[in-house]
Structure formats: C-alpha cells, structure tokens
Amino acid sequence: MAELPEITKYAKQMNTTLQGKTVQSLELLQEKCANVSANDFQKRIIGAQILKIEHKGKWILTKLSNGENILLSLGMGADLLYFENEENLPEKYQVKLIFTDGTGYTVRFWWFGKFLLCSDKALHMDKNTKDIAIDPFDERFSLAYFQALLSGKRTQIKPFLLNQKNIGGIGNMYLHDILFTAKVHPQRKISDLSAQEIEQLYGSINMILRNSQEKGSFSYEKDFFGKKGGWDDFLIGYQENEPCPNCQSLIISIKTGSTSSFICPSCQAI
C-alpha cells in the first residue's frame, strides 16, 4: 500500500509532468470508484487545464482551471502509470485520462481505490480529505508540534499514529519499524510514554520515512513512470520468526485492533 514516501513521489512526478496539460477525454470503467457518473465526470473536466498536483495525507489532489478537483486515493494499492501515447497501455485499468497532446495516465486499483471529483467550493467540506492532518514531511511537523499533539492523550500509541486526523500519511507498513526503532510497544498508552520516548518516536518517524523517500520509496511500488523504488529495508516489519537485529530474540506478530503488528518482545516491552 502506498504511504507517505510513495504518495509524495507520485504527486511530485505528476505535478512536474502534467502541469499545464489540458484534459481531452476520460475513460471511467468502474463507476463505483467514483462519486459521480462517468458521463458527468467527463463533462466537468474535459477542456480544463491542470494547474497543480499535490498530496494531502495519502490522497493525490489535482487542481483544474475550471474550479474542479480530482481526488485520487490508491487504496490498498494501485498501478498509476503515465503514457506518452496509447500504443503501450496496461492490459487492465479502471481509469484512463488523456490530454490534448496525446499523453495521459491509467489507474488500475488493486483494492478500495477512489477517483473522485470535487468543486473548489465543496473541497473544504469533502469528508475524505477535510480532516487530514499535516504529515511528517511538512516543515511544521516539529518536535514541539509532535509533543503538543500527544499531550494529554491516553489512547494506545499505534492507533493514534495511524489516525489520519492526527498525522497524515503514516500507514501500517512503515509503522512496525518506526515503533521498533523508538523501542515503543504498539499497545503502550501515550500517557505512559516518557519525554525521552516521545522524542525517540519523533526521530524514528522522520528517520524511517525519509530513508524510504531518499531511496525512491518502497521497492514493491512502481512510480508514475513504472519504475520500482529502492527501499525494502525492513528491520522487523513482516519478519516474523526472524531474529531481532538488536537482541536476536525472535520477532513475533500480535493483533493490535484491526491490524497486526510485528514486534520484538524484548526490545519493545509493554
């Protein structure tokens, strides 16, 4: 699943490549991934120019010149691929957007993807994106900000960090190693964390996510041009029954709410 390093890469590549292009046509083969009919979607975007593309949490937002916005969520994974012409398109896709210069992109959702349309006037009230918090790549995400965010909270740390209303962009894939590096058990209550642990956790969030960003994001994910990333440096994530890189204890998997967590029972004592 694409998380913050992957989404920011997509948004940057798309903005650089597509900014200024004009929409010529839209092929929407799976209307259930959209919030309006294929016919209405086409009418509202054809002839509009792309002004900018940015991200908000795990969403990619395309701002159009006519006051419309395309909101794209890759869900549990997707192939989002640019093409220079229609000669070598993917075999399967749900969305195909073509520009007047003959270029375009396709989207093939694996699971739970969304391709939505929202006007400028309605964007601030869109239920999918309006409450998403700033992400760790935002310059405002300082240690002081993180400390204030956790102050007075009594919930478990893992669901808090996964909640996009608290921090945008963090998902389960990177969180195993984030918590491990900070030596924090996923079920620890925030109110029980020491000042040092909170500082370690802040550093761990930045280190793990930026390390992936610097290496081109997760190796299993293709970017906008079909190139795979270079990061697969899991420390304990998805390494069940392998030795902990710190103490050699066997890594275990535990159930944490609706997700599973890989932990070292020795390094991450609850």
Side-chain angles (χ1 to χ4, degrees), residues 125-137:
M125 289 301 294
D126 174 66
K127 64 180 181 179
N128 298 287
T129 60
K130 68 183 180 69
D131 293 326
I132 296 177
I134 65 171
D135 62 65
F137 290 167

Side-chain angles (χ1 to χ4, degrees), residues 112-245:
F112 294 138
K114 292 183 179 180
F115 192 78
L116 311 179
L117 191 61
C118 186
S119 69
D120 284 344
K121 292 181 179 179
L123 187 59
H124 73 288
M125 289 301 294
D126 174 66
K127 64 180 181 179
N128 298 287
T129 60
K130 68 183 180 69
D131 293 326
I132 296 177
I134 65 171
D135 62 65
F137 290 167
D138 193 301
E139 61 182 13
R140 294 170 292 174
F141 193 82
S142 63
L143 175 58
Y145 174 88
F146 186 63
Q147 290 168 329
L149 188 65
L150 268 57
S151 179
K153 304 298 190 302
R154 301 182 60 84
T155 187
Q156 292 181 356
I157 186 62
K158 182 176 180 179
F160 183 87
L161 295 177
L162 286 176
N163 190 330
Q164 300 299 293
K165 294 181 180 179
N166 298 323
I167 302 175
I170 296 180
N172 200 46
M173 181 174 72
Y174 289 104
L175 195 50
H176 308 294
D177 285 358
I178 287 173
L179 292 169
F180 169 72
T181 305
K183 297 183 178 180
V184 172
H185 193 283
Q187 294 174 326
R188 285 280 301 280
K189 287 187 177 180
I190 295 173
S191 55
D192 293 337
L193 296 177
S194 67
Q196 181 180 358
E197 287 175 318
I198 290 174
E199 188 170 347
Q200 288 174 178
L201 186 54
Y202 173 79
S204 179
I205 290 171
N206 282 282
M207 180 185 70
I208 296 296
L209 295 178
R210 291 192 182 279
N211 182 34
S212 176
Q213 183 186 48
E214 290 168 3
K215 292 186 176 182
S217 76
F218 185 37
S219 62
Y220 190 69
E221 298 279 350
K222 294 179 181 178
D223 67 11
F224 195 46
F225 307 110
K227 181 181 178 181
K228 290 187 176 181
W231 185 92
D232 57 2
D233 307 333
F234 289 113
L235 298 172
I236 66 164
Y238 311 98
Q239 306 296 309
E240 188 173 12
N241 296 322
E242 294 295 321
C244 167

